[in-house]
Short mmCIF file of all heavy atoms in Angstrom, two decimals:
data_model
loop_
_atom_site.label_atom_id
_atom_site.label_comp_id
_atom_site.label_asym_id
_atom_site.label_seq_id
_atom_site.Cartn_x
_atom_site.Cartn_y
_atom_site.Cartn_z
N LYS A 30 0.83 -1.26 -0.01
CA LYS A 30 0.00 -0.01 0.00
C LYS A 30 0.84 1.28 -0.02
O LYS A 30 0.50 2.30 -0.60
CB LYS A 30 -0.94 0.01 1.21
CG LYS A 30 -2.05 -0.99 1.00
CD LYS A 30 -3.08 -0.86 2.11
CE LYS A 30 -4.32 -1.84 1.86
NZ LYS A 30 -5.40 -1.77 2.85
N LEU A 31 2.05 1.21 0.62
CA LEU A 31 2.93 2.37 0.61
C LEU A 31 3.31 2.70 -0.84
O LEU A 31 3.47 3.87 -1.14
CB LEU A 31 4.18 2.07 1.47
CG LEU A 31 4.05 2.22 2.98
CD1 LEU A 31 5.34 1.81 3.60
CD2 LEU A 31 3.68 3.65 3.34
N GLU A 32 3.50 1.73 -1.67
CA GLU A 32 3.89 1.91 -3.07
C GLU A 32 2.91 2.82 -3.78
O GLU A 32 3.22 3.59 -4.63
CB GLU A 32 4.08 0.61 -3.77
CG GLU A 32 5.25 -0.21 -3.37
CD GLU A 32 5.48 -1.44 -4.19
OE1 GLU A 32 4.59 -1.69 -5.04
OE2 GLU A 32 6.43 -2.20 -3.95
N ASN A 33 1.64 2.63 -3.36
CA ASN A 33 0.55 3.42 -4.02
C ASN A 33 0.03 4.56 -3.16
O ASN A 33 -1.03 5.15 -3.40
CB ASN A 33 -0.64 2.49 -4.37
CG ASN A 33 -0.20 1.36 -5.32
OD1 ASN A 33 0.32 1.63 -6.31
ND2 ASN A 33 -0.53 0.14 -4.94
N ASP A 34 0.79 4.94 -2.12
CA ASP A 34 0.45 6.01 -1.27
C ASP A 34 -0.94 5.78 -0.58
O ASP A 34 -1.74 6.65 -0.43
CB ASP A 34 0.37 7.30 -1.90
CG ASP A 34 0.94 8.51 -1.07
OD1 ASP A 34 1.49 8.18 -0.01
OD2 ASP A 34 0.89 9.67 -1.46
N GLU A 35 -1.18 4.48 -0.18
CA GLU A 35 -2.47 4.15 0.41
C GLU A 35 -2.35 3.69 1.80
O GLU A 35 -3.28 3.03 2.39
CB GLU A 35 -3.09 3.01 -0.44
CG GLU A 35 -3.43 3.51 -1.90
CD GLU A 35 -3.92 2.35 -2.76
OE1 GLU A 35 -3.73 1.17 -2.34
OE2 GLU A 35 -4.53 2.65 -3.83
N ALA A 36 -1.26 4.02 2.51
CA ALA A 36 -1.09 3.71 3.92
C ALA A 36 -0.24 4.88 4.51
O ALA A 36 0.36 5.65 3.75
CB ALA A 36 -0.47 2.40 4.15
N LEU A 37 -0.19 5.04 5.83
CA LEU A 37 0.52 6.11 6.47
C LEU A 37 2.06 5.96 6.10
O LEU A 37 2.72 4.97 6.49
CB LEU A 37 0.35 6.08 7.97
CG LEU A 37 1.29 7.04 8.71
CD1 LEU A 37 1.11 8.45 8.29
CD2 LEU A 37 0.97 6.90 10.23
N ASN A 38 2.52 6.91 5.38
CA ASN A 38 4.00 7.05 5.16
C ASN A 38 4.55 8.04 6.15
O ASN A 38 4.48 9.27 5.93
CB ASN A 38 4.26 7.47 3.73
CG ASN A 38 5.68 7.49 3.29
OD1 ASN A 38 6.60 7.72 4.09
ND2 ASN A 38 5.94 7.12 2.05
N LEU A 39 5.00 7.54 7.28
CA LEU A 39 5.35 8.34 8.36
C LEU A 39 6.43 9.39 8.05
O LEU A 39 6.37 10.56 8.41
CB LEU A 39 5.70 7.50 9.59
CG LEU A 39 5.88 8.23 10.94
CD1 LEU A 39 4.67 9.05 11.28
CD2 LEU A 39 6.24 7.25 12.06
N PRO A 40 7.53 8.98 7.31
CA PRO A 40 8.56 9.94 7.04
C PRO A 40 7.98 11.11 6.13
O PRO A 40 8.33 12.27 6.30
CB PRO A 40 9.56 9.14 6.22
CG PRO A 40 9.46 7.78 6.74
CD PRO A 40 8.00 7.61 7.01
N LYS A 41 7.06 10.79 5.22
CA LYS A 41 6.43 11.86 4.39
C LYS A 41 5.65 12.80 5.19
O LYS A 41 5.72 14.02 5.07
CB LYS A 41 5.55 11.22 3.32
CG LYS A 41 4.86 12.22 2.38
CD LYS A 41 3.99 11.54 1.36
CE LYS A 41 4.75 10.87 0.28
NZ LYS A 41 3.87 10.43 -0.87
N ALA A 42 4.84 12.26 6.19
CA ALA A 42 3.97 13.09 6.98
C ALA A 42 4.86 14.01 7.87
O ALA A 42 4.59 15.21 8.07
CB ALA A 42 3.04 12.28 7.81
N LEU A 43 5.95 13.45 8.42
CA LEU A 43 6.81 14.26 9.30
C LEU A 43 7.57 15.30 8.52
O LEU A 43 7.80 16.45 8.98
CB LEU A 43 7.83 13.28 9.96
CG LEU A 43 7.21 12.33 11.01
CD1 LEU A 43 8.25 11.32 11.45
CD2 LEU A 43 6.68 13.10 12.23
N ALA A 44 7.98 15.00 7.31
CA ALA A 44 8.64 16.01 6.47
C ALA A 44 7.70 17.20 6.13
O ALA A 44 8.12 18.34 6.21
CB ALA A 44 9.18 15.37 5.16
N LEU A 45 6.49 16.85 5.78
CA LEU A 45 5.47 17.91 5.51
C LEU A 45 5.29 18.74 6.80
O LEU A 45 5.12 19.96 6.71
CB LEU A 45 4.15 17.27 5.14
CG LEU A 45 4.10 16.68 3.72
CD1 LEU A 45 2.76 15.91 3.55
CD2 LEU A 45 4.16 17.77 2.67
N ALA A 46 5.22 18.08 7.95
CA ALA A 46 4.99 18.88 9.14
C ALA A 46 6.19 19.77 9.49
O ALA A 46 6.03 20.90 9.99
CB ALA A 46 4.80 17.87 10.37
N LEU A 47 7.40 19.26 9.28
CA LEU A 47 8.57 20.19 9.51
C LEU A 47 8.60 21.34 8.57
O LEU A 47 8.93 22.47 8.93
CB LEU A 47 9.85 19.32 9.38
CG LEU A 47 10.19 18.37 10.51
CD1 LEU A 47 11.32 17.42 10.15
CD2 LEU A 47 10.55 19.18 11.81
N ARG A 48 8.19 21.08 7.30
CA ARG A 48 8.14 22.19 6.37
C ARG A 48 7.11 23.19 6.72
O ARG A 48 7.30 24.41 6.44
CB ARG A 48 7.86 21.64 4.96
CG ARG A 48 8.97 20.96 4.30
CD ARG A 48 8.65 20.58 2.80
NE ARG A 48 9.85 20.06 2.13
CZ ARG A 48 10.79 20.85 1.61
NH1 ARG A 48 10.69 22.14 1.69
NH2 ARG A 48 11.84 20.33 1.00
N ALA A 49 6.06 22.83 7.42
CA ALA A 49 5.02 23.74 7.84
C ALA A 49 5.51 24.79 8.88
O ALA A 49 4.80 25.67 9.14
CB ALA A 49 3.83 22.90 8.46
N GLY A 50 6.65 24.54 9.45
CA GLY A 50 7.20 25.51 10.43
C GLY A 50 7.73 26.80 9.79
O GLY A 50 8.12 27.72 10.49
N GLY A 51 7.74 26.86 8.48
CA GLY A 51 8.15 28.05 7.78
C GLY A 51 9.65 28.05 7.41
O GLY A 51 10.34 27.06 7.62
N GLU A 52 10.10 29.17 6.84
CA GLU A 52 11.42 29.27 6.27
C GLU A 52 12.54 28.99 7.27
O GLU A 52 13.47 28.24 7.03
CB GLU A 52 11.62 30.63 5.61
CG GLU A 52 12.98 30.74 4.88
CD GLU A 52 13.07 32.08 4.15
OE1 GLU A 52 11.98 32.80 4.04
OE2 GLU A 52 14.21 32.44 3.75
N GLU A 53 12.33 29.51 8.49
CA GLU A 53 13.37 29.35 9.53
C GLU A 53 13.48 27.89 9.92
O GLU A 53 14.59 27.32 10.05
CB GLU A 53 13.03 30.21 10.77
CG GLU A 53 14.07 30.11 11.85
CD GLU A 53 13.65 30.95 13.02
OE1 GLU A 53 12.87 31.87 12.96
OE2 GLU A 53 14.23 30.69 14.17
N ALA A 54 12.32 27.23 10.12
CA ALA A 54 12.34 25.82 10.52
C ALA A 54 12.88 24.97 9.40
O ALA A 54 13.61 23.98 9.66
CB ALA A 54 10.88 25.37 10.91
N ARG A 55 12.58 25.28 8.16
CA ARG A 55 13.08 24.52 7.02
C ARG A 55 14.61 24.63 6.98
O ARG A 55 15.33 23.66 6.66
CB ARG A 55 12.43 24.96 5.76
CG ARG A 55 10.95 24.52 5.62
CD ARG A 55 10.47 24.65 4.23
NE ARG A 55 10.49 26.05 3.72
CZ ARG A 55 9.49 26.88 3.86
NH1 ARG A 55 8.38 26.47 4.54
NH2 ARG A 55 9.50 28.10 3.36
N ALA A 56 15.05 25.83 7.24
CA ALA A 56 16.55 26.01 7.26
C ALA A 56 17.26 25.21 8.29
O ALA A 56 18.28 24.61 8.17
CB ALA A 56 16.94 27.55 7.30
N ARG A 57 16.55 25.27 9.54
CA ARG A 57 17.19 24.60 10.70
C ARG A 57 17.14 23.06 10.55
O ARG A 57 18.06 22.36 11.03
CB ARG A 57 16.36 25.07 11.95
CG ARG A 57 16.96 24.48 13.22
CD ARG A 57 16.37 25.18 14.49
NE ARG A 57 14.98 24.91 14.62
CZ ARG A 57 13.99 25.71 14.39
NH1 ARG A 57 14.30 26.99 13.96
NH2 ARG A 57 12.76 25.49 14.62
N HIS A 58 16.15 22.59 9.86
CA HIS A 58 16.03 21.08 9.76
C HIS A 58 16.25 20.58 8.37
O HIS A 58 15.70 19.52 7.98
CB HIS A 58 14.63 20.66 10.25
CG HIS A 58 14.31 21.09 11.65
ND1 HIS A 58 15.06 20.62 12.81
CD2 HIS A 58 13.37 21.91 12.21
CE1 HIS A 58 14.55 21.14 13.85
NE2 HIS A 58 13.54 21.87 13.57
N ARG A 59 16.97 21.33 7.54
CA ARG A 59 17.17 21.01 6.17
C ARG A 59 17.63 19.60 5.97
O ARG A 59 17.12 18.86 5.11
CB ARG A 59 18.14 22.01 5.46
CG ARG A 59 18.29 21.71 4.01
CD ARG A 59 19.18 22.81 3.33
NE ARG A 59 18.57 24.09 3.27
CZ ARG A 59 18.85 25.18 4.00
NH1 ARG A 59 19.92 25.02 4.88
NH2 ARG A 59 18.31 26.30 3.88
N GLY A 60 18.67 19.23 6.71
CA GLY A 60 19.19 17.82 6.51
C GLY A 60 18.19 16.78 6.96
O GLY A 60 18.04 15.72 6.24
N LEU A 61 17.45 17.00 7.97
CA LEU A 61 16.53 16.02 8.49
C LEU A 61 15.38 15.89 7.49
O LEU A 61 14.88 14.80 7.19
CB LEU A 61 15.98 16.40 9.82
CG LEU A 61 14.94 15.56 10.51
CD1 LEU A 61 15.43 14.06 10.58
CD2 LEU A 61 14.53 16.09 11.82
N ILE A 62 14.88 17.06 6.95
CA ILE A 62 13.80 17.00 5.97
C ILE A 62 14.22 16.25 4.76
O ILE A 62 13.46 15.42 4.23
CB ILE A 62 13.31 18.42 5.68
CG1 ILE A 62 12.69 19.14 6.83
CG2 ILE A 62 12.42 18.43 4.42
CD1 ILE A 62 12.39 20.59 6.61
N ALA A 63 15.48 16.49 4.24
CA ALA A 63 15.95 15.75 3.14
C ALA A 63 15.98 14.28 3.37
O ALA A 63 15.63 13.44 2.53
CB ALA A 63 17.29 16.29 2.74
N ALA A 64 16.43 13.90 4.57
CA ALA A 64 16.56 12.44 4.92
C ALA A 64 15.19 11.82 4.93
O ALA A 64 14.97 10.68 4.52
CB ALA A 64 17.25 12.30 6.29
N LEU A 65 14.24 12.56 5.55
CA LEU A 65 12.83 12.01 5.59
C LEU A 65 12.26 11.86 4.21
O LEU A 65 11.56 10.89 3.94
CB LEU A 65 11.97 12.87 6.50
CG LEU A 65 12.31 12.95 8.02
CD1 LEU A 65 11.60 14.11 8.66
CD2 LEU A 65 11.88 11.65 8.62
N GLU A 66 12.46 12.88 3.38
CA GLU A 66 11.95 12.75 2.01
C GLU A 66 12.54 11.65 1.25
O GLU A 66 11.89 10.96 0.45
CB GLU A 66 12.06 14.10 1.35
CG GLU A 66 11.15 15.18 2.00
CD GLU A 66 11.37 16.58 1.31
OE1 GLU A 66 12.42 16.77 0.74
OE2 GLU A 66 10.44 17.40 1.51
N ARG A 67 13.80 11.39 1.49
CA ARG A 67 14.47 10.23 0.81
C ARG A 67 13.86 8.90 1.30
O ARG A 67 13.54 8.02 0.50
CB ARG A 67 15.98 10.20 1.11
CG ARG A 67 16.67 8.98 0.70
CD ARG A 67 18.14 8.96 1.06
NE ARG A 67 18.42 9.23 2.47
CZ ARG A 67 18.33 8.31 3.40
NH1 ARG A 67 17.92 7.03 3.11
NH2 ARG A 67 18.62 8.55 4.64
N LEU A 68 13.65 8.77 2.68
CA LEU A 68 13.03 7.56 3.16
C LEU A 68 11.63 7.40 2.65
O LEU A 68 11.25 6.25 2.31
CB LEU A 68 12.99 7.67 4.75
CG LEU A 68 14.31 7.57 5.45
CD1 LEU A 68 14.12 7.90 6.97
CD2 LEU A 68 14.90 6.22 5.31
N ALA A 69 10.87 8.51 2.56
CA ALA A 69 9.52 8.39 2.11
C ALA A 69 9.49 7.91 0.63
O ALA A 69 8.69 7.04 0.23
CB ALA A 69 8.83 9.75 2.14
N ALA A 70 10.41 8.41 -0.19
CA ALA A 70 10.50 7.95 -1.57
C ALA A 70 10.96 6.48 -1.62
O ALA A 70 10.42 5.65 -2.43
CB ALA A 70 11.50 8.76 -2.35
#
């Protein structure tokens, strides 16, 4: 189901939540966001 985005992809949700913190938060957590997005993919 993850292959079709039909189950909770926790790294994807967490990356979206970190991005929601705005430009400052994205800069502070840039490496972590990139790692989460890689895991989600």
